[in-house]
Amino acid sequence: MTERTAVVTGAGSGVGRACALGLLADGWTVVLAGRRRERLQATAALAPAADRVRLAAVPADVARPESVDALFAEVTERFGRLDLLFNNAAESMPYLPVEEVTAADWHRVMDSIATGTFLCSQAAFRIMKHQQPRGGRIINTGALSAHAPRPDSPAFTAAKHAVAGLTKAFALDGRPYDISCGQLDIGNVTPEDRPQPAVRQPDGSLRAEPTMAMRHVVDMVRAMAALPSGVTVQSVQLIPSAMPYLGRG
């Protein structure tokens, strides 16, 4: 097949934006999903003019079932199939001690990351199981916090643990239908428009950590997306080699 359609959530900035443009450069038709239409349009404006015919900006809130249903209904109506879902949307929050995390903070982070990953993947399964040719690929954005959490990040840590579990569950449940699911745990990426912020260390201190260029993340997503059906990267950690991770020290 030459026509390949991908949905990228959180495509209005950062990793989502960069990876959406990378997939576009590889010949994918890319659906840009995110809550803010203007951010999605800004992503589309960065693409070469000749390639924009293979871009569609569809505002969606991945934490709301009705919004997710509308997103994937538009995908099937406009493009007829779905070959790749990159679950990347996430809400962040400041590092806070456990006793200061509000219920609203908890739900906002969990809904955007864990619930959003589930709802979008569920919609993708419904399409991929029945399209011809059958199957497709799901790539989830994980985090090192799913394996070694930072201090004062209970909601984010829990959400990314949930994503790690969902990745395994989707990989298992997708086998009979040629649906693969893998996860990319991303370390510190060099910020585009600001200095690298200092982050909390296990001893309570704040320190700016080593970073890597965004292009390495894009290259990894492109490589995972290009694998043939029946082959998958189940889980990969992509980090700056000097970044504190093992032991977080």
Side-chain angles (χ1 to χ4, degrees), residues 205-221:
S205 65
L206 292 172
R207 190 173 79 193
E209 297 179 348
T211 63
M212 61 185 171
M214 181 69 79
R215 69 177 183 275
H216 302 306
V217 179
V218 176
D219 287 346
M220 183 60 70
V221 170

PDB file of all heavy atoms in Angstrom, residues 205-221:
ATOM      1  N   SER A 205      17.634  18.447  45.823  1.00  0.00           N
ATOM      2  CA  SER A 205      18.207  19.584  45.110  1.00  0.00           C
ATOM      3  C   SER A 205      17.565  19.743  43.737  1.00  0.00           C
ATOM      4  O   SER A 205      16.885  18.842  43.232  1.00  0.00           O
ATOM      5  CB  SER A 205      19.721  19.404  44.962  1.00  0.00           C
ATOM      6  OG  SER A 205      20.005  18.275  44.137  1.00  0.00           O
ATOM      7  N   LEU A 206      17.793  20.912  43.118  1.00  0.00           N
ATOM      8  CA  LEU A 206      17.347  21.181  41.762  1.00  0.00           C
ATOM      9  C   LEU A 206      18.559  21.266  40.855  1.00  0.00           C
ATOM     10  O   LEU A 206      19.566  21.889  41.210  1.00  0.00           O
ATOM     11  CB  LEU A 206      16.562  22.491  41.703  1.00  0.00           C
ATOM     12  CG  LEU A 206      15.210  22.498  42.420  1.00  0.00           C
ATOM     13  CD1 LEU A 206      14.641  23.905  42.448  1.00  0.00           C
ATOM     14  CD2 LEU A 206      14.237  21.550  41.734  1.00  0.00           C
ATOM     15  N   ARG A 207      18.457  20.625  39.664  1.00  0.00           N
ATOM     16  CA  ARG A 207      19.598  20.618  38.766  1.00  0.00           C
ATOM     17  C   ARG A 207      19.127  20.534  37.320  1.00  0.00           C
ATOM     18  O   ARG A 207      18.219  19.759  37.007  1.00  0.00           O
ATOM     19  CB  ARG A 207      20.515  19.424  39.082  1.00  0.00           C
ATOM     20  CG  ARG A 207      21.848  19.458  38.351  1.00  0.00           C
ATOM     21  CD  ARG A 207      22.748  18.337  38.856  1.00  0.00           C
ATOM     22  NE  ARG A 207      22.382  17.055  38.274  1.00  0.00           N
ATOM     23  CZ  ARG A 207      22.835  15.885  38.717  1.00  0.00           C
ATOM     24  NH1 ARG A 207      23.617  15.833  39.779  1.00  0.00           N
ATOM     25  NH2 ARG A 207      22.484  14.765  38.130  1.00  0.00           N
ATOM     26  N   ALA A 208      19.762  21.323  36.459  1.00  0.00           N
ATOM     27  CA  ALA A 208      19.517  21.178  35.019  1.00  0.00           C
ATOM     28  C   ALA A 208      20.250  19.931  34.527  1.00  0.00           C
ATOM     29  O   ALA A 208      21.426  19.728  34.843  1.00  0.00           O
ATOM     30  CB  ALA A 208      20.000  22.408  34.272  1.00  0.00           C
ATOM     31  N   GLU A 209      19.561  19.091  33.783  1.00  0.00           N
ATOM     32  CA  GLU A 209      20.118  17.809  33.358  1.00  0.00           C
ATOM     33  C   GLU A 209      20.479  17.842  31.875  1.00  0.00           C
ATOM     34  O   GLU A 209      19.993  18.685  31.117  1.00  0.00           O
ATOM     35  CB  GLU A 209      19.103  16.696  33.611  1.00  0.00           C
ATOM     36  CG  GLU A 209      18.771  16.519  35.092  1.00  0.00           C
ATOM     37  CD  GLU A 209      17.733  15.430  35.314  1.00  0.00           C
ATOM     38  OE1 GLU A 209      17.112  14.973  34.314  1.00  0.00           O
ATOM     39  OE2 GLU A 209      17.540  15.040  36.461  1.00  0.00           O
ATOM     40  N   PRO A 210      21.326  16.904  31.436  1.00  0.00           N
ATOM     41  CA  PRO A 210      21.643  16.803  30.004  1.00  0.00           C
ATOM     42  C   PRO A 210      20.392  16.554  29.167  1.00  0.00           C
ATOM     43  O   PRO A 210      19.418  15.945  29.636  1.00  0.00           O
ATOM     44  CB  PRO A 210      22.602  15.607  29.946  1.00  0.00           C
ATOM     45  CG  PRO A 210      23.181  15.512  31.314  1.00  0.00           C
ATOM     46  CD  PRO A 210      22.101  15.938  32.245  1.00  0.00           C
ATOM     47  N   THR A 211      20.413  17.022  27.942  1.00  0.00           N
ATOM     48  CA  THR A 211      19.282  16.866  27.031  1.00  0.00           C
ATOM     49  C   THR A 211      19.764  16.310  25.699  1.00  0.00           C
ATOM     50  O   THR A 211      20.961  16.238  25.423  1.00  0.00           O
ATOM     51  CB  THR A 211      18.584  18.215  26.777  1.00  0.00           C
ATOM     52  OG1 THR A 211      19.498  19.111  26.122  1.00  0.00           O
ATOM     53  CG2 THR A 211      18.103  18.845  28.079  1.00  0.00           C
ATOM     54  N   MET A 212      18.799  15.942  24.867  1.00  0.00           N
ATOM     55  CA  MET A 212      19.093  15.487  23.508  1.00  0.00           C
ATOM     56  C   MET A 212      18.234  16.270  22.533  1.00  0.00           C
ATOM     57  O   MET A 212      17.207  16.853  22.903  1.00  0.00           O
ATOM     58  CB  MET A 212      18.822  13.991  23.364  1.00  0.00           C
ATOM     59  CG  MET A 212      17.391  13.596  23.619  1.00  0.00           C
ATOM     60  SD  MET A 212      17.145  11.805  23.581  1.00  0.00           S
ATOM     61  CE  MET A 212      15.460  11.680  24.179  1.00  0.00           C
ATOM     62  N   ALA A 213      18.624  16.292  21.282  1.00  0.00           N
ATOM     63  CA  ALA A 213      17.885  17.016  20.255  1.00  0.00           C
ATOM     64  C   ALA A 213      16.585  16.290  19.908  1.00  0.00           C
ATOM     65  O   ALA A 213      16.512  15.050  19.948  1.00  0.00           O
ATOM     66  CB  ALA A 213      18.741  17.172  19.000  1.00  0.00           C
ATOM     67  N   MET A 214      15.571  17.053  19.565  1.00  0.00           N
ATOM     68  CA  MET A 214      14.273  16.489  19.206  1.00  0.00           C
ATOM     69  C   MET A 214      14.386  15.533  18.024  1.00  0.00           C
ATOM     70  O   MET A 214      13.615  14.569  17.914  1.00  0.00           O
ATOM     71  CB  MET A 214      13.301  17.615  18.866  1.00  0.00           C
ATOM     72  CG  MET A 214      11.911  17.151  18.491  1.00  0.00           C
ATOM     73  SD  MET A 214      10.998  16.438  19.880  1.00  0.00           S
ATOM     74  CE  MET A 214      10.478  17.958  20.705  1.00  0.00           C
ATOM     75  N   ARG A 215      15.336  15.764  17.130  1.00  0.00           N
ATOM     76  CA  ARG A 215      15.419  14.936  15.919  1.00  0.00           C
ATOM     77  C   ARG A 215      15.630  13.464  16.246  1.00  0.00           C
ATOM     78  O   ARG A 215      15.226  12.589  15.470  1.00  0.00           O
ATOM     79  CB  ARG A 215      16.530  15.434  14.999  1.00  0.00           C
ATOM     80  CG  ARG A 215      17.942  15.238  15.514  1.00  0.00           C
ATOM     81  CD  ARG A 215      18.980  15.695  14.492  1.00  0.00           C
ATOM     82  NE  ARG A 215      20.340  15.455  14.950  1.00  0.00           N
ATOM     83  CZ  ARG A 215      21.032  16.271  15.718  1.00  0.00           C
ATOM     84  NH1 ARG A 215      20.472  17.411  16.123  1.00  0.00           N
ATOM     85  NH2 ARG A 215      22.258  15.989  16.098  1.00  0.00           N
ATOM     86  N   HIS A 216      16.241  13.166  17.394  1.00  0.00           N
ATOM     87  CA  HIS A 216      16.461  11.765  17.751  1.00  0.00           C
ATOM     88  C   HIS A 216      15.132  11.084  18.102  1.00  0.00           C
ATOM     89  O   HIS A 216      14.930   9.906  17.785  1.00  0.00           O
ATOM     90  CB  HIS A 216      17.440  11.669  18.920  1.00  0.00           C
ATOM     91  CG  HIS A 216      18.768  12.308  18.643  1.00  0.00           C
ATOM     92  ND1 HIS A 216      19.529  11.981  17.547  1.00  0.00           N
ATOM     93  CD2 HIS A 216      19.460  13.268  19.314  1.00  0.00           C
ATOM     94  CE1 HIS A 216      20.643  12.700  17.542  1.00  0.00           C
ATOM     95  NE2 HIS A 216      20.614  13.486  18.597  1.00  0.00           N
ATOM     96  N   VAL A 217      14.245  11.818  18.753  1.00  0.00           N
ATOM     97  CA  VAL A 217      12.918  11.283  19.048  1.00  0.00           C
ATOM     98  C   VAL A 217      12.153  11.051  17.748  1.00  0.00           C
ATOM     99  O   VAL A 217      11.533  10.005  17.549  1.00  0.00           O
ATOM    100  CB  VAL A 217      12.141  12.248  19.966  1.00  0.00           C
ATOM    101  CG1 VAL A 217      10.744  11.700  20.259  1.00  0.00           C
ATOM    102  CG2 VAL A 217      12.904  12.489  21.264  1.00  0.00           C
ATOM    103  N   VAL A 218      12.207  12.036  16.862  1.00  0.00           N
ATOM    104  CA  VAL A 218      11.516  11.913  15.579  1.00  0.00           C
ATOM    105  C   VAL A 218      12.031  10.713  14.798  1.00  0.00           C
ATOM    106  O   VAL A 218      11.250   9.931  14.241  1.00  0.00           O
ATOM    107  CB  VAL A 218      11.683  13.201  14.757  1.00  0.00           C
ATOM    108  CG1 VAL A 218      11.050  13.045  13.374  1.00  0.00           C
ATOM    109  CG2 VAL A 218      11.064  14.390  15.492  1.00  0.00           C
ATOM    110  N   ASP A 219      13.338  10.544  14.764  1.00  0.00           N
ATOM    111  CA  ASP A 219      13.917   9.413  14.030  1.00  0.00           C
ATOM    112  C   ASP A 219      13.449   8.081  14.603  1.00  0.00           C
ATOM    113  O   ASP A 219      13.204   7.124  13.856  1.00  0.00           O
ATOM    114  CB  ASP A 219      15.441   9.485  14.064  1.00  0.00           C
ATOM    115  CG  ASP A 219      15.996  10.587  13.179  1.00  0.00           C
ATOM    116  OD1 ASP A 219      15.240  11.122  12.340  1.00  0.00           O
ATOM    117  OD2 ASP A 219      17.197  10.924  13.317  1.00  0.00           O
ATOM    118  N   MET A 220      13.320   7.995  15.923  1.00  0.00           N
ATOM    119  CA  MET A 220      12.882   6.742  16.535  1.00  0.00           C
ATOM    120  C   MET A 220      11.421   6.456  16.195  1.00  0.00           C
ATOM    121  O   MET A 220      11.061   5.307  15.868  1.00  0.00           O
ATOM    122  CB  MET A 220      13.071   6.803  18.047  1.00  0.00           C
ATOM    123  CG  MET A 220      12.705   5.513  18.771  1.00  0.00           C
ATOM    124  SD  MET A 220      13.698   4.085  18.233  1.00  0.00           S
ATOM    125  CE  MET A 220      15.302   4.538  18.930  1.00  0.00           C
ATOM    126  N   VAL A 221      10.571   7.458  16.265  1.00  0.00           N
ATOM    127  CA  VAL A 221       9.167   7.259  15.917  1.00  0.00           C
ATOM    128  C   VAL A 221       9.031   6.866  14.443  1.00  0.00           C
ATOM    129  O   VAL A 221       8.269   5.963  14.090  1.00  0.00           O
ATOM    130  CB  VAL A 221       8.346   8.526  16.225  1.00  0.00           C
ATOM    131  CG1 VAL A 221       6.935   8.424  15.655  1.00  0.00           C
ATOM    132  CG2 VAL A 221       8.291   8.757  17.738  1.00  0.00           C
TER     133      VAL A 221
END
